[in-house]
Amino acid sequence: MNHSSKQATALTGADHARLAHPLDLMPFFRRWPSSTRRNLLYTLIWNCGLGTALTVVDVLSSGSDRLVTGHWLPMLLISNLIGFLIHLGHLLANAVSGGWPRRARGLPRLVFSSALVGSSVLLGLGLGTALLNGKGLAELMDNRSALNQSLVVAAAIALLMYLVTSSAERRVAQAEEKARQQELIASTARLLAEARLRALQAQIEPHFLYNTLANVVSLIGPQPAKAQHMLERFIDYLRASLAASRSDEATLGSEAKLIAAYLDVLAVRMGERLRYRIEMPDALRQFAIAPMLLQPVVENAISHGLEPKVEGGEIVVSARAEGAYLILQISDTGVGPGSTMSAKPGGGVGLSNLRERLRSLYDGAARVELLENQPCGMTVRLMLPLNASPTSNPSAP
């Protein structure tokens, strides 16, 4: 599991609001998942940072030269007392009320924060004053000027805490949603890769696989060299098919190698009944196409054109550039119309499916034509734009 998915897991459920610490507003501090120890440490860092900032303001306004002993250390003590009182108050309020402060939003949240921060500021100032100079909370309450000043500070801190915490919670929610989306994308990509592989594997027709292995077994004794050649080409075909499953694009050259390996295997089994040619100019071999675009058409030409014909025939796969199009043709001298792109179960993709695939890949810029050969057979002609590459999922059947 990657970091984003771990973060998403850590920030889910009813604990979401409770996990938002003011420091979660900064991406650096969101790197670690929420925990009791982490939040206590973050509160310490926050208190010290706020105390230091208030010290600088106090020194600049008073002009005192006793920076450390006169300002910074007392301010650190009081800011930590107030900060940890607020932290403890949140924990107690959530425990007592069944988590209401975690779920509160808007005005109720502001009122709760103001009351908690105000009381924490007064109590923290009283405790800090008592520790520093022996004056207790009662004396602070009697001093109206100091009390009013403390209430103003409490209100400012309450508003600051409300704004910062709310902003932090929004950032945490955004980070959680982003992590979930990234995990969903990664999961979808894995499923797509698996589906693509299954689709490509399914295109190896069972009878082709079984017949090939059966032929290899039958040739091992009388013709071992022929059996070895058949098995080697079958391995080449499987390797090329699996390679196509790992890429969104192929080239005419790689498609030609796949088709050649497939036809070589069949040629051993069909003997003189199968003849084939692949006419692929070197200048076009690097042209990008969708993987397994031509091979299913070749399968159909064999299964429904040449195999049903007693004397077999020839299949020609060719490519040429013509104007703004790349012309790909699969021609056979098989039994004729209605066979090459049959929708019969087990016969591979049909003509309508091929057209739909090209429509999605090339946004309607590609065409498919089905032509009758003379004196027999069929030609499937694919016209692909030379200035465009496949844009969608090429492995979709």
Side-chain angles (χ1 to χ4, degrees):
M1 183 180 292
N2 57 29
H3 175 73
S4 61
S5 59
K6 288 181 179 178
Q7 185 177 9
T9 302
L11 299 176
T12 55
D15 290 337
H16 167 69
R18 177 176 61 83
L19 301 181
H21 192 281
L23 289 182
D24 284 324
L25 193 61
M26 291 173 275
F28 174 80
F29 290 100
R30 291 201 300 270
R31 296 171 59 185
W32 293 276
S34 178
S35 66
T36 301
R37 290 183 179 180
R38 189 211 76 155
N39 291 342
L40 285 172
L41 176 61
Y42 280 14
T43 297
L44 176 63
I45 296 172
W46 172 264
N47 295 339
C48 292
L50 187 60
T52 302
L54 292 175
T55 300
V56 173
V57 174
D58 189 27
V59 169
L60 291 177
S61 62
S62 65
S64 173
D65 57 355
R66 297 176 58 208
L67 175 60
V68 175
T69 58
H71 293 272
W72 190 49
L73 292 180
M75 192 68 76
L76 284 183
L77 173 63
I78 293 175
S79 65
N80 273 283
L81 285 171
I82 295 173
F84 280 110
L85 284 171
I86 295 172
H87 190 116
L88 179 62
H90 271 290
L91 293 178
L92 291 176
N94 278 298
V96 172
S97 65
W100 176 84
R102 292 198 302 259
R103 302 185 298 272
R105 293 293 185 272
L107 183 60
R109 177 73 170 275
L110 179 59
V111 172
F112 168 77
S113 297
S114 300
L116 175 61
V117 172
S119 58
S120 298
V121 167
L122 292 176
L123 184 57
L125 283 172
L127 291 174
T129 302
L131 291 172
L132 291 171
N133 53 29
K135 294 182 178 180
L137 182 60
E139 293 186 36
L140 177 64
M141 298 295 292
D142 291 336
N143 188 335
R144 292 297 179 89
S145 177
L147 178 61
N148 291 336
Q149 185 178 4
S150 299
L151 291 175
V152 171
V153 171
I157 293 177
L159 181 61
L160 175 65
M161 291 291 294
Y162 173 78
L163 295 176
V164 171
T165 303
S166 298
S167 180
E169 289 174 359
R170 286 194 297 271
R171 290 293 182 92
V172 169
Q174 292 170 359
E176 176 188 353
E177 182 62 26
K178 182 178 179 181
R180 284 175 175 170
Q181 290 177 356
Q182 290 175 344
E183 181 63 21
L184 178 61
I185 291 172
S187 177
T188 302
R190 289 192 297 269
L191 292 175
L192 178 60
E194 293 172 2
R196 187 175 297 169
L197 178 60
R198 287 195 297 269
L200 290 169
Q201 290 174 331
Q203 291 178 358
I204 304 173
E205 298 182 38
H207 80 265
F208 169 64
L209 174 63
Y210 298 146
N211 288 343
T212 298
L213 296 178
N215 274 268
V216 169
V217 171
S218 65
L219 291 172
I220 288 176
Q223 296 177 290
K226 199 171 184 179
Q228 180 179 349
H229 171 73
M230 188 177 193
L231 188 57
E232 287 174 347
R233 296 304 283 157
F234 184 59
I235 291 173
D236 290 339
Y237 173 76
L238 294 178
R239 184 180 293 115
S241 297
L242 293 176
S245 71
R246 300 183 178 97
S247 175
D248 285 343
E249 284 190 354
T251 62
L252 278 178
S254 64
E255 189 79 352
K257 290 180 180 179
L258 174 66
I259 292 171
Y262 174 75
L263 292 175
D264 275 350
V265 172
L266 288 178
V268 176
R269 176 162 59 87
M270 295 178 65
E272 296 299 326
R273 296 180 61 241
L274 172 61
R275 302 174 300 280
Y276 74 88
R277 288 180 288 128
I278 299 178
E279 300 173 351
M280 201 74 65
D282 292 339
L284 296 176
R285 284 185 171 268
Q286 295 304 313
F287 185 83
I289 63 172
M292 306 287 284
L293 185 64
L294 301 180
Q295 192 266 346
V297 183
V298 173
E299 281 190 17
N300 278 274
I302 297 294
S303 299
H304 304 285
L306 300 187
E307 280 195 330
K309 194 174 181 179
V310 176
E311 65 273 27
E314 183 181 38
I315 184 168
V316 179
V317 181
S318 63
R320 71 179 187 275
E322 188 175 291
Y325 288 93
L326 172 70
I327 309 299
L328 302 174
Q329 290 192 166
I330 297 91
S331 301
D332 68 77
T333 59
V335 295
S339 60
T340 302
M341 295 302 294
S342 171
K344 178 181 177 181
V349 295
L351 183 59
S352 61
N353 290 338
L354 178 61
R355 283 177 171 149
E356 181 60 33
R357 187 181 182 196
L358 290 177
R359 186 180 300 112
S360 65
L361 290 170
Y362 295 96
D363 295 326
R367 300 203 305 271
V368 180
E369 296 178 351
L370 188 61
L371 309 173
E372 185 176 351
N373 294 337
Q374 296 298 330
C376 60
M378 299 294 298
T379 293
V380 177
R381 178 183 295 167
L382 283 67
M383 303 177 67
L384 310 181
L386 283 170
N387 59 349
S389 296
T391 57
S392 64
N393 178 12
S395 67

